[in-house]
Amino acid sequence: MKIILAQSAGFCFGVKRATTMAFDAADHCHQICSLGPIIHSPQLVRKLEEKGVEVIDRVEDIPEGAVIIRSHGVTAQELDHILARELRIVDATCPFVKKAQEYAAMLSREGYTVILVGEEEHPEVQGIVSYARDGEVFVVGDRDQAEKLPRKKRMGVVAQTTQSFDNLRQIIEVCLEKSGELRVFNTICDATSVRQKEAQAIARQVDLMLVIGGFNSANTSRLTRICSDIQPRTHHVETAAEVDPQWFDEVHTVGITAGASTPRWIIEEVVEKVRTIR
Ligand code: SF4
């Protein structure tokens, strides 16, 4: 059976950086926690817990010591709270997310109504919104929501890093009609689209597709949907243990990809398991 493994499978730059910082901090700090799970990989979170990194959801519950800020950042209020408590900060916020936070803050300071293209409930979006402290901010998910925006003299647009370029473009078109002056910062990171395009290309060539990643990982679930649209024999697995040999009847070529928060060792275990299937 031939295996095609996506080159982009697994950690993106920001997640790799955050996990390296977390393991490094675990080796050096006596008392340490992460504010929320560092990434959407239960297996990696467990490894960190074994090294003493506890997952805490609220700043007020952090006992003392050091706190790791995960790759999609925290709200300005949480950061203020952490600073006020004089906790040691290991800031693993992805530099691309930080840029979006800084643009939102700058636009707000300079009197623009901030339009943030993204999913309202996502922690990264809540973080970016919180930095636009000086004026109005609207979170817009799609073109229809943008149509409902009020007219404004000056609008400034930033995007959640994982948004699609097409959605951003459509919302910008609407904002152009609704404002006298429009500034746009394209803060999309291409890690997501690179993974999606490669997964689509592989799904077209294979008899079965495996997508590896946490069941709680939104980007892995999206990859699975994209592959299923092309190759109905697509399975989302979290570890090698879930790979069922019965899936592989009359399969000659298998495609494998993984979400941006899937550790390399899990990808290798899945590849190994597939190799043993005859
Ligand atoms: S997807 Fe992009 S912005 Fe998000 S953590 Fe990865 S590199 Fe950073």
Side-chain angles (χ1 to χ4, degrees):
M1 204 154 47
K2 186 178 165 199
I3 298 173
I4 304 178
L5 174 62
Q7 276 183 6
S8 59
F11 285 177
C12 62
F13 158 76
V15 166
K16 194 171 183 176
R17 179 176 172 274
T19 50
T20 306
M21 288 172 81
F23 278 102
D24 194 50
D27 284 340
H28 294 98
C29 299
H30 167 61
Q31 188 161 23
I32 185 156
C33 69
S34 74
L35 196 54
I38 190 98
I39 59 171
H40 288 135
S41 163
Q43 292 74 22
L44 187 130
V45 170
R46 216 170 298 133
K47 275 198 180 223
L48 278 169
E49 273 169 356
E50 282 161 18
K51 285 179 126 311
V53 180
E54 208 186 333
V55 178
I56 305 267
D57 290 323
R58 301 177 325 155
V59 180
E60 50 269 45
D61 296 334
I62 299 173
E64 57 185 36
V67 56
I68 307 167
I69 294 178
R70 53 192 175 169
S71 56
H72 46 227
V74 287
T75 65
Q77 292 75 20
E78 282 171 318
L79 188 60
D80 288 347
H81 197 165
I82 292 169
L83 290 170
R85 289 203 47 203
E86 298 185 354
L87 298 163
R88 193 187 144 207
I89 299 174
V90 179
D91 188 359
T93 309
C94 177
F96 300 133
V97 174
K98 201 144 240 180
K99 263 263 111 45
Q101 293 173 347
E102 285 165 6
Y103 285 137
M106 184 192 77
L107 287 165
S108 181
R109 231 179 7 252
E110 294 183 3
Y112 290 83
T113 297
V114 175
I115 310 298
L116 174 52
V117 179
E119 304 150 47
E120 193 147 22
E121 301 304 318
H122 196 285
E124 179 191 321
V125 169
Q126 289 167 357
I128 298 168
V129 165
S130 71
Y131 286 86
R133 299 190 200 214
D134 298 307
E136 271 187 308
V137 45
F138 295 90
V139 178
V140 176
D142 55 29
R143 190 185 185 108
D144 289 347
Q145 286 177 13
E147 303 278 8
K148 296 188 186 106
L149 286 170
R151 275 199 68 79
K152 292 286 166 183
K153 212 164 147 195
R154 310 167 87 197
M155 278 183 175
V157 178
V158 289
Q160 181 183 358
T161 54
T162 47
Q163 283 292 300
S164 78
F165 184 76
D166 187 52
N167 194 39
L168 173 64
R169 190 177 46 74
Q170 289 194 39
I171 290 169
I172 291 168
E173 264 172 33
V174 178
C175 291
L176 201 54
E177 302 277 340
K178 290 191 174 262
S179 59
E181 183 191 336
L182 182 67
R183 285 187 80 181
V184 177
F185 290 100
N186 177 2
T187 47
I188 293 174
C189 150
D190 68 0
T192 309
S193 64
V194 165
R195 268 165 194 70
Q196 292 176 352
K197 281 186 191 139
E198 195 188 6
Q200 280 172 320
I202 293 175
R204 283 191 196 99
Q205 305 168 45
V206 298
D207 307 310
L208 182 135
M209 194 75 199
L210 293 178
V211 184
I212 316 163
F215 292 128
N216 58 347
S217 154
N219 81 81
T220 308
S221 303
R222 211 175 306 149
L223 269 182
T224 308
R225 275 199 302 278
I226 287 170
C227 292
S228 305
D229 287 346
I230 296 167
Q231 173 50 265
R233 292 177 81 176
T234 293
H235 298 275
H236 178 174
V237 295
E238 204 169 84
T239 65
E242 291 125 32
V243 176
D244 183 347
Q246 293 190 353
W247 295 339
F248 294 80
D249 264 1
E250 295 190 30
V251 168
H252 304 289
T253 312
V254 182
I256 301 180
T257 189
S261 49
T262 309
R264 183 44 58 174
W265 90 81
I266 294 183
I267 299 172
E268 283 164 4
E269 284 172 4
V270 170
V271 171
E272 263 325 293
K273 169 100 182 247
V274 174
R275 276 196 219 288
T276 63
I277 297 170
R278 292 272 166 253

